[in-house]
Amino acid sequence: MVLEPRVLRAVLIGSLLSLACSDKPGPVEPPPPPAEAWDGTYTPLAESTDWVDRGEYAACAFTPPPGTVIDCDDPSLFDLSRCDTASLASVDPHGIYQVDMRHAAGFSDFAGIRVPADGSTGTLNGLTGLSTPLTRQQLQGSFFVSSRHTQGSSVRQLVFAGCGVTGPGLVTGCFARCGNGKVNSTGTFEAARMTWGRGEAEASGGLRLLSETHVQTDFPVDVYVHRGHAYVVSVDDLYTGGTGGLTVVDVRDPSHPVITQHITLPGDSFWNAAWAKDDALYIASRRSGVIVFDITHPKAPAYVRNVPGGPALNVHTMFVDGDRLHAVSPGPAPTGETLIFDISTPLNPVLLNRFVAADTTSYIPSAHDSFAYQDRLYVNHFSAGYVVFDVKDPMSPRELGHYTFESDNSFATSHASAVGTFAGKTVAFEGGEYQGAHLRVLDVTDPTNIQLMGEYKLRPQTSIHNMILRGKRLYVTYYQEGLRVLDVSVPPRPREIAYFNTFRESDPHRTDDLLEGAIGIRVPGDGYVYVVDTSRGLLILNEL
């Protein structure tokens, strides 16, 4: 199955509100260094997958062995005798943490913890894929957090005990997973508080926030900008019952955007992606495939129809290349598929073909996203790998090769990419999603022999999401790490030149979800960068 990050949180953005931020320039910063030259040479790197096993995180232990019948929510069951528990006095009594978990057997796991500043009951995301209330939350002078979830006759517990503080915002310790009063698995963890990493400021490199617009939906995820209007799509929150849909924002004055309309269809509002061509707006729907709107009047889209029609179809992402629209459906299982439409008449897409990757052996092989470039389509097949197709003849796509990075102990994925030409080589910038997912730089000139030549990583507790390549700069939305701008003129050595931190613990409706923060991005060439943040909505910044 495809794990939907958009249903893993509980948010409710209330009334329509557009907040314009000051457009006065801040302190003058020196310009970034000029781009370097690259001759096309590099040394291939070994693939390490998303999650790297760094060994045990702490010198502690949950003493009852797996299989023991016991109530796991008991601090005395943890041996902390070799820990620097005194250092836990520096832990704030509240905060949002993402937790990198290593089971004693050597495989990865993750969870999210949120302890509110007002002292109310916090939440844990790690038992069900949704946030569950904390049954214990001790973050003052210690770090002991637990949650219990009961569903039918099944009772699950997840318990964390801190061992020490190893750096600013970093807590290590031990955990236990238990079911029906029995110990299932134990291990160690490193929890990172989701304040701005490395002591960063809000912004660097000359990026400035021009405006911030809260959209009238539960969970915004993507944006497309066309003819002075931003089309922001959101997904349903299946936990709270909140609905997504389309929000139209007039951005002709980027410092003072105006919401003109919010649109849903009956029983159809889980909309994950948007794209436009001429008078047509395309929306990726979880239920209706690709929905077509007429945007002859940009501020007031008019429904035309959905394609390809027929049975319900989940389309997750889209990519338009000339007169072709590529729509990626994650399934249902087992493989997902990619659909190619002729959009030479934009308001009347015609289905040309639908196809799947040959490799369906992965445990989550679903297609997820795509990027079209020079008659090739680069399809992210989540954990089945990064697959390259020849689509010059859309009636007869040919699979040319793929890049895989699956591991026995790590949940690694392929989620999104951008492709360009550098020093005569075809270079793909590719990233996964979930714990430890980061940017890979791949030489895809020969799809039968794809080589890893560069990487860019931030905290292992966070995840990359989407990216836009504009010239020699790569704009990356990195969830809790915000927007990152990289100089990729030397692809093997991506170099960060600017950032804007969008994630703040104090933002309304922030949750413990791993996939929270900066998520969608467009850089349309109008001088601005449009970022969608899961809580704050549409943020408009200056383009560097």
Side-chain angles (χ1 to χ4, degrees), residues 8 23 31 45 70 88 106 155 170 178 213 218 230 272 301 359 394 397 438 449 464 466 516 531-532:
L8 300 184
D23 57 358
L45 304 178
I70 199 166
L88 296 170
V155 179
L170 285 176
C178 306
T213 304
D218 249 21
N272 190 71
D359 180 8
H438 57 277
N449 184 32
I464 198 173
N466 250 333
E516 253 270 9
V531 174
V532 174

Side-chain angles (χ1 to χ4, degrees), residues 16-74:
L16 195 65
L17 178 62
S18 177
L19 298 178
C21 301
S22 172
D23 57 358
K24 295 180 179 179
V28 176
E29 298 186 38
E36 300 179 53
W38 183 52
D39 62 4
T41 61
Y42 64 91
T43 301
L45 304 178
E47 175 59 56
S48 60
T49 76
D50 287 349
W51 183 79
V52 177
D53 188 355
R54 295 179 282 158
E56 292 186 346
Y57 292 122
C60 57
F62 186 77
T63 53
T68 304
V69 177
I70 199 166
D71 182 359
C72 296
D73 191 6
D74 180 351

Side-chain angles (χ1 to χ4, degrees), residues 241-265:
T243 58
L246 168 68
T247 301
V248 183
V249 187
D250 184 336
V251 294
R252 287 175 291 181
D253 180 355
S255 296
H256 302 89
V258 177
I259 294 178
T260 65
Q261 196 163 156
H262 178 66
I263 300 170
T264 60
L265 297 176

Side-chain angles (χ1 to χ4, degrees), residues 407-431:
S407 164
D408 291 338
N409 63 357
S410 174
F411 182 76
T413 67
S414 181
H415 178 268
S417 72
V419 184
T421 300
F422 295 76
K425 293 186 180 296
T426 307
V427 176
F429 302 91
E430 182 272 347

Side-chain angles (χ1 to χ4, degrees), residues 190-350:
E190 180 183 71
R193 187 173 175 189
M194 291 294 101
T195 50
W196 298 338
R198 300 174 294 181
E200 293 178 337
E202 181 181 49
S204 77
L207 285 175
R208 293 184 295 114
L209 180 63
L210 303 179
S211 62
E212 178 175 346
T213 304
H214 296 279
V215 297
Q216 191 184 16
T217 55
D218 249 21
F219 199 66
V221 293
D222 193 26
V223 60
Y224 197 84
V225 181
H226 187 61
R227 295 177 177 170
H229 289 73
Y231 299 95
V232 181
V233 288
S234 304
V235 298
D236 300 341
D237 189 322
L238 302 185
Y239 184 56
T240 65
T243 58
L246 168 68
T247 301
V248 183
V249 187
D250 184 336
V251 294
R252 287 175 291 181
D253 180 355
S255 296
H256 302 89
V258 177
I259 294 178
T260 65
Q261 196 163 156
H262 178 66
I263 300 170
T264 60
L265 297 176
D268 189 355
S269 54
F270 196 108
W271 295 350
N272 190 71
W275 207 290
K277 175 180 169 64
D278 299 339
D279 291 333
L281 174 67
Y282 309 108
I283 301 294
S285 164
R286 194 181 193 189
R287 174 181 175 182
S288 302
V290 177
I291 302 174
V292 184
F293 286 92
D294 185 339
I295 50 172
T296 302
H297 303 290
K299 69 178 182 180
Y303 174 81
V304 177
R305 65 190 183 108
N306 69 293
V307 293
L313 177 67
N314 176 8
V315 167
H316 196 64
T317 57
M318 301 173 296
F319 192 95
V320 171
D321 181 32
D323 288 336
R324 297 284 184 267
L325 183 150
H326 306 88
V328 176
S329 170
T335 62
E337 61 179 342
T338 301
L339 296 84
I340 303 180
F341 294 89
D342 180 343
I343 54 171
S344 53
T345 304
L347 289 170
N348 185 33
V350 176

